[in-house]
Amino acid sequence: MLEILLSISASVLIVAVAAAALARERTVSNGLFALAALVLALIEVSDQVLFHISSDPVPLRRVVMVLESLLPLLFLSFSLSYSRRSFSVPTSLAWKIVAVGACAFPVSAALVPLESFFYSPDLQSEKMLFLGNAGYWFYMGVMAYCILALVNVEATFVTASSSEKWKIKFEVVGIGGILAVLIFYYSQGLLYRTINMNLIPARAGILVISSLLIAYSKFFRGNNVKIAVSHYVLYRSFTILAVGLYLLALGIVGEGMRYMGVSVSRDLTVFIAFASGIGLTVILLSGRLRRKAHVLVNKHFFRHKFDYRSEWLKFSGTLALCSTLEEVNHAILATYRETFGMKGASLYLRDGSQGKYVHAASQGTASANSLELPAASGLISYFMNGGRVFNPLDGEYEPAAEEAALIRQTCARLMVPLISNEQVVGFVVLREQLAQEKLIYEDFDLMRTLGKQAAVSIVNLRLFQELAETREIAVVAKISSFVIHDLKNQMSSLSLLIDNAEEHIDNPEFQQDMLDTVRNTVHRMRNLMQKLRGIPEKSSVHAEPVDLRALAEKTVEDLRVTRPGVDMRWHGTPVVSMVDEEEVRKVILNLLLNAYDATAGRGIIEVETGYNGGMARIRVSDNGCGMSEGYIQNDLFKPFRTTKEKGLGIGLYQCKQIVEAHGGKIEVQSRVDEGTAFTVCLPLHQPEAVAGGNARDAKGRKDA
């Protein structure tokens, strides 16, 4: 009866823990663990049922084997996704073979005759399965996949940082306990070609302990850990060696107990062994004990405490993998904690805008976010003058009240300056040690060395961020200049319209022209705002067939309304081009306004459309002041270069950008005091049906 209650308790507990974890965080890993837990629970309950039913238990044993056949695929998939940043099946040939092999277990359990797997003369009384050839390889395969899953889980834990290990330590022990007891349970087939089902209560007891450990880890320590596992760690697992040594140790203990005549049931012996193993694992994973072992080895077996080159290269590699300042901050703290065995650490960095050192990051200690340290404080001067690590207990420097408050709240035992270019970039506050040891000059020397490297990384990353911000500001300034230039043109048209309205407001034709001009101006300003709203998404112009002659004619007529005294002439042939109409209208308007300024409103401006070597052409010329050759070569199309008193110097730069975005080109011919001509060439629109005719017409017009 006790065995039944133990199996039921184990089944209910593991399913409840898995379901609660899945409800709390719906991930692939939790989903696979829930399926594996359900299968284990069904196996546990089914094994107990077949011992107590009055009918033949062998058919039910077939059901148990089908359930057991699902374990390789479930545990393999779970181990590959557990706490990993992404769930991806390895693509190598070996892993493909492993995956196919895991899928073969359910097929064999369902199709291979049961007598090929095992025979049992009296299963309910003996609780022993004598394995045939198929059963032997089946259970050896299940055991092998459990070992492989244990290797994957171990690799995840080994790759984790110290803070991540603290979160998942008990969960890893629980998962390892489940896999280890299954490995031992099925390893009997390797040793004795039997499956001893008398060990089911021991298996159930380990499931209970493991479930409690997993529940504690998930619900009290949190498990939002995502780890990237390298092949180097994966292929150098300690699990395979540990499994062999552990089974050997159990055999020696068993033989010793028989030699001494200790009468203890086998299932109780196995339970005690596994429970002790889990407890020993928890102890060995203790950071404090590992640090004590590290101190013992360094103290008695090595002449030098640290390999400076190795420590520096490791720290440099860690910082190189960081892409943000936050990642750099936590990498610095993690390195100090792991290298010197500290319980916790905090980082304070200088805020240039405030002239203070403010909290940047913490690990394993109170953050003291509200505390700040002025840049002019005595402690910073102490760091700057000597570059030494500050120990509040050595009495060399007496901290001020504000400094003492920070030391008290962060439980500081040491404070390491981060110095670069003779400036204190920040400082690291270290708590007490995991294992008390006497720090020597090597410790302090390495602390200062790491501090200098950390300071350089922080300064470089800050400079990079400032450069990125400067570039963003430059982009905004560039866009703003374009916007201001366009708005200036619109406002200029409206200003001239208002000036002319005082004289011609009673003229019906002027009234209609005025309404059309205002309406077009509002429409263009609305389009400008829409384009500004879509700047991040817009990567190319919106090209469509446009008649350049009609577009030029309309632009000239709009300009005539605001500048009625200008002699503007246009001529040419209709020519259709694939362009963004609004953008090309800006080009024509900019060229016309430049020509108007060059002639001081008293010259002649000509606009011509046609063909130019297989491209559409717009030519705007004037008889104004012209430009020098040097200005054309060095300044004409450069932004913020202008000869106008009130100009911004981006009109022609914007024109060039628009034309080149269409795949076209813009050319200029000019002579001082004679005039200027701008020629814009844009792609032709040639429908397939008339492409040949258009090409011939274009050639004929060019020859003419």
Side-chain angles (χ1 to χ4, degrees):
M1 187 64 182
L2 181 61
E3 295 180 0
I4 298 175
L5 291 177
L6 186 59
S7 292
I8 293 175
S9 300
S11 302
V12 172
L13 185 58
I14 192 171
V15 170
V17 170
L22 183 61
R24 187 176 186 180
E25 186 180 4
R26 295 186 178 181
T27 61
V28 174
S29 175
N30 284 342
L32 291 170
F33 179 70
L35 289 175
L38 180 61
V39 170
L40 287 174
L42 292 174
I43 291 173
E44 197 68 34
V45 172
S46 300
D47 279 339
Q48 288 295 340
V49 169
L50 65 83
F51 292 145
H52 297 86
I53 58 176
S54 57
S55 58
D56 184 8
V58 174
L60 183 57
R61 183 59 202 172
R62 161 78 79 173
V63 175
V64 175
M65 283 196 64
V66 171
L67 292 172
E68 290 173 328
S69 69
L70 300 176
L71 294 178
L73 182 60
L74 289 175
F75 278 125
L76 179 65
S77 301
F78 167 73
S79 66
L80 289 172
S81 63
Y82 172 67
S83 288
R84 303 288 177 92
R85 290 180 181 174
S86 60
F87 175 48
S88 57
V89 179
T91 57
S92 64
L93 178 61
W95 277 104
K96 290 180 180 178
I97 295 174
V98 170
V100 172
C103 297
F105 282 89
V107 177
S108 63
L111 299 181
V112 176
L114 198 60
E115 56 270 16
S116 298
F117 283 106
F118 67 87
Y119 64 94
S120 180
D122 191 358
L123 178 60
Q124 290 181 325
S125 60
E126 292 183 349
K127 298 182 180 180
M128 297 287 291
L129 295 177
F130 299 94
L131 301 180
N133 289 331
Y136 175 83
W137 292 111
F138 177 86
Y139 284 111
M140 291 309 96
V142 173
M143 183 185 70
Y145 274 89
C146 289
I147 294 174
L148 183 58
L150 195 56
V151 169
N152 285 327
V153 174
E154 180 206 3
T156 301
F157 182 79
V158 170
T159 310
S161 65
S162 57
S163 59
E164 291 169 338
K165 286 178 180 177
W166 182 86
K167 289 184 177 181
I168 65 174
K169 177 174 69 175
F170 289 106
E171 186 174 1
V172 168
V173 173
I175 296 169
I178 293 173
L179 293 171
V181 76
L182 291 176
I183 291 169
F184 176 78
Y185 181 74
Y186 294 123
S187 66
Q188 300 169 90
L190 175 64
L191 298 175
Y192 311 112
R193 293 187 72 92
T194 61
I195 297 295
N196 185 359
M197 301 183 71
N198 289 294
L199 297 177
I200 290 177
R203 184 182 67 185
I206 299 302
L207 287 180
V208 170
I209 296 175
S210 298
S211 300
L212 293 174
L213 289 172
I214 294 171
Y216 173 75
S217 179
K218 281 186 173 293
F219 304 121
F220 293 96
R221 289 203 171 187
N223 191 23
N224 55 341
V225 175
K226 300 298 178 186
I227 302 166
V229 179
S230 67
H231 289 176
Y232 180 86
V233 173
L234 186 61
Y235 295 143
R236 286 157 180 79
S237 172
F238 184 71
T239 297
I240 298 175
L241 176 62
V243 168
L245 293 177
Y246 191 66
L247 292 177
L248 179 62
L250 285 178
I252 293 174
V253 170
E255 289 298 321
M257 293 180 67
R258 282 193 294 272
Y259 177 78
M260 291 183 293
V262 178
S263 178
V264 182
S265 63
R266 185 175 182 180
D267 54 343
L268 180 58
T269 302
V270 172
F271 172 76
I272 293 174
F274 270 90
S276 302
I278 291 175
L280 180 62
T281 303
V282 172
I283 294 174
L284 291 177
L285 291 179
S286 169
R288 186 186 302 273
L289 291 178
R290 284 190 292 111
R291 183 61 190 178
K292 285 184 176 181
H294 179 75
V295 171
L296 179 67
V297 171
N298 284 329
K299 183 176 180 180
H300 297 285
F301 295 95
F302 287 93
R303 181 179 178 184
H304 298 290
K305 190 172 184 180
F306 297 105
D307 182 347
Y308 286 82
R309 180 177 179 275
S310 175
E311 295 292 342
W312 184 83
L313 288 175
K314 182 172 66 173
F315 187 43
S316 299
T318 301
L319 294 178
L321 296 175
C322 301
S323 57
T324 65
L325 185 58
E326 182 181 4
E327 292 179 357
V328 169
N329 295 343
H330 284 284
I332 292 170
L333 296 183
T335 298
Y336 272 98
R337 291 183 65 193
E338 293 176 5
T339 304
F340 303 104
M342 300 298 180
K343 284 186 177 180
S346 299
L347 177 64
Y348 287 78
L349 297 178
R350 178 164 182 169
D351 187 338
S353 61
Q354 300 182 22
K356 297 179 179 179
Y357 291 86
V358 298
H359 173 264
S362 289
Q363 288 184 5
T365 185
S367 62
N369 292 337
S370 59
L371 293 181
E372 300 174 344
L373 202 61
S377 67
L379 182 59
I380 301 302
S381 299
Y382 174 84
F383 287 149
M384 196 65 255
N385 294 333
R388 294 187 294 273
V389 177
F390 172 58
N391 184 350
L393 302 179
D394 63 8
E396 184 177 352
Y397 169 77
E398 186 67 28
E402 194 171 10
E403 298 164 352
L406 187 145
I407 293 171
R408 184 173 57 258
Q409 289 200 21
T410 56
C411 302
R413 293 296 179 269
L414 294 172
M415 301 177 75
V416 184
L418 310 183
I419 301 176
S420 175
N421 295 327
E422 298 184 353
Q423 290 185 347
V424 179
V425 177
F427 55 88
V428 176
V429 179
L430 301 176
R431 282 187 62 187
E432 66 272 18
Q433 299 166 285
L434 290 168
Q436 293 300 320
E437 60 176 299
K438 182 178 177 58
L439 297 176
I440 61 176
Y441 75 94
E442 283 192 53
D443 296 286
F444 298 117
D445 191 33
L446 182 58
M447 286 180 186
R448 291 193 298 269
T449 302
L450 296 181
K452 292 178 181 179
Q453 179 70 8
V456 170
S457 297
I458 292 171
V459 169
N460 289 341
L461 191 56
R462 281 181 168 176
L463 289 175
F464 176 79
Q465 291 177 344
E466 290 176 3
L467 178 61
E469 291 174 0
T470 302
R471 289 176 176 173
E472 292 176 358
I473 292 173
V475 171
V476 172
K478 179 179 176 181
I479 295 173
S480 300
S481 299
F482 288 151
V483 173
I484 293 172
H485 186 271
D486 286 344
L487 291 178
K488 180 178 72 70
N489 290 340
Q490 307 299 340
M491 294 301 297
S492 177
S493 298
L494 292 177
S495 178
L496 289 173
L497 185 66
I498 293 173
D499 293 340
N500 292 329
E502 295 179 355
E503 183 178 353
H504 304 287
I505 192 63
D506 295 329
N507 188 337
E509 293 184 2
F510 178 82
Q511 293 176 0
Q512 184 61 44
D513 290 340
M514 182 178 67
L515 290 174
D516 292 340
T517 301
V518 172
R519 185 180 297 109
N520 291 335
T521 301
V522 172
H523 176 69
R524 286 192 290 270
M525 293 177 71
R526 184 181 295 112
N527 288 341
L528 176 62
M529 288 187 290
Q530 291 176 349
K531 288 183 178 181
L532 286 175
R533 192 179 298 118
I535 280 175
E537 292 81 14
K538 185 171 182 179
S539 58
S540 61
V541 295
H542 178 63
E544 57 184 358
V546 175
D547 186 348
L548 296 183
R549 176 182 174 181
L551 179 60
E553 179 182 356
K554 186 175 185 302
T555 306
V556 169
E557 293 300 327
D558 289 344
L559 194 59
R560 278 178 176 169
V561 174
T562 59
R563 293 166 175 79
V566 181
D567 185 3
M568 284 187 286
R569 308 169 185 175
W570 63 270
H571 56 87
T573 58
V575 54
V576 180
S577 177
M578 288 296 295
V579 296
D580 187 320
E581 181 175 358
E582 182 62 27
E583 295 297 306
V584 174
R585 193 200 72 80
K586 289 181 184 179
V587 174
I588 299 173
L589 180 61
N590 270 318
L591 296 178
L592 289 173
L593 291 173
N594 283 343
Y596 176 80
D597 292 335
T599 59
R602 295 184 294 271
I604 299 173
I605 302 174
E606 293 187 80
V607 181
E608 178 188 359
T609 58
Y611 296 86
N612 184 17
M615 299 187 76
R617 182 190 67 194
I618 306 172
R619 189 171 187 271
V620 178
S621 60
D622 63 74
N623 61 350
C625 61
M627 295 175 289
S628 67
E629 186 68 24
Y631 182 81
I632 293 174
Q633 291 181 355
N634 301 320
D635 300 297
L636 182 61
F637 292 108
K638 301 290 180 61
F640 311 112
R641 310 283 181 87
T642 181
T643 58
K644 303 177 185 179
E645 293 183 0
K646 297 183 179 180
L648 295 172
I650 64 168
L652 288 175
Y653 173 73
Q654 184 183 23
C655 290
K656 188 172 185 292
Q657 298 292 315
I658 293 173
V659 171
E660 290 179 350
H662 285 83
K665 60 183 179 179
I666 183 170
E667 300 172 344
V668 59
Q669 298 88 33
S670 182
R671 288 180 179 273
V672 178
D673 297 329
E674 292 186 15
T676 303
F678 285 93
T679 302
V680 176
C681 297
L682 295 166
L684 275 173
H685 171 63
Q686 293 183 340
E688 295 181 0
V690 294
N694 284 352
R696 288 191 296 272
D697 291 344
K699 185 177 184 304
R701 293 187 182 100
K702 179 183 178 184
D703 295 338

